Amino acid sequence: MNPLSLIALLPVIEIVLLIGMGALFGFWFTLAWIIGTAAVGVYLLRRIRGSFQIGRPLDAVGQSTVADPLGVFATWVGAILLILPGPLTDALGLVLVLPWLRKLTFGVWMARNLHTIVTKRKGRGQIYEGEIVEVQQERRVIRQVDEDQDK
């Protein structure tokens, strides 16, 4: 499916999920969830807004003082997703905002897709043939050769 069509279907999916959430948990809980996640998103945006300012002070070496710029950007996108009403965008926002959940999700994605990413190189690079030698067996051979040379 085209990613653009998924973006177009996002409001419909969010409305269906909100109706289901309201039916399952009730109107007041759903309303509190929407307001609560929006408040958390606004708080996070205010907390990290200084990280993207142009002319931000640099350290003595001339590097940015932001420890993890990719993490700051992920938190920024996650905060925007938390502001948008709907359980799907809230779930995606939480994945991006919480560092341990972001690492876990990225690790699972890499584990599933690493083979596909590596094999789609289309013949670029070199193939090296070799064999795996266990370290324990190799040490035994070296010791045996050393003992034979001593005799």
Side-chain angles (χ1 to χ4, degrees):
M1 184 176 251
N2 188 0
L4 191 58
S5 62
L6 284 176
I7 293 172
L9 284 176
L10 184 64
V12 175
I13 294 169
E14 292 286 11
I15 290 171
V16 169
L17 289 174
L18 278 173
I19 291 171
M21 190 174 170
L24 187 64
F25 298 115
F27 171 76
W28 294 110
F29 178 82
T30 305
L31 185 64
W33 179 268
I34 293 171
I35 293 171
T37 56
V40 169
V42 168
Y43 168 75
L44 287 171
L45 277 179
R46 286 185 178 174
R47 195 174 123 226
I48 64 169
R49 76 175 153 191
S51 299
F52 290 116
Q53 291 178 349
I54 297 175
R56 181 174 167 82
L58 302 176
D59 63 1
V61 184
Q63 300 294 323
S64 174
T65 56
V66 177
D68 181 18
L70 189 60
V72 171
F73 180 72
T75 304
W76 182 73
V77 172
I80 291 174
L81 288 174
L82 284 173
I83 292 172
L84 297 174
L88 183 62
T89 54
D90 289 344
L92 292 173
L94 285 175
V95 165
L96 291 173
V97 165
L98 300 173
W100 62 271
L101 193 56
R102 181 176 44 219
K103 289 177 185 176
L104 178 71
T105 306
F106 183 70
V108 169
W109 179 82
M110 283 296 291
R112 288 185 180 174
N113 296 321
L114 186 61
H115 178 70
T116 306
I117 293 169
V118 170
T119 56
K120 284 189 176 180
R121 293 187 58 171
K122 297 182 181 176
R124 293 180 297 181
Q126 297 177 353
I127 298 174
Y128 298 100
E129 293 186 15
E131 62 183 52
I132 298 174
V133 178
E134 290 188 25
V135 176
Q136 298 297 330
Q137 292 176 354
E138 188 175 310
R139 286 183 185 164
R140 288 181 192 161
V141 171
I142 291 172
R143 284 182 189 158
Q144 187 178 14
V145 169
D146 289 340
E147 289 172 2
D148 289 343
Q149 288 177 356
D150 290 339
K151 292 182 183 179

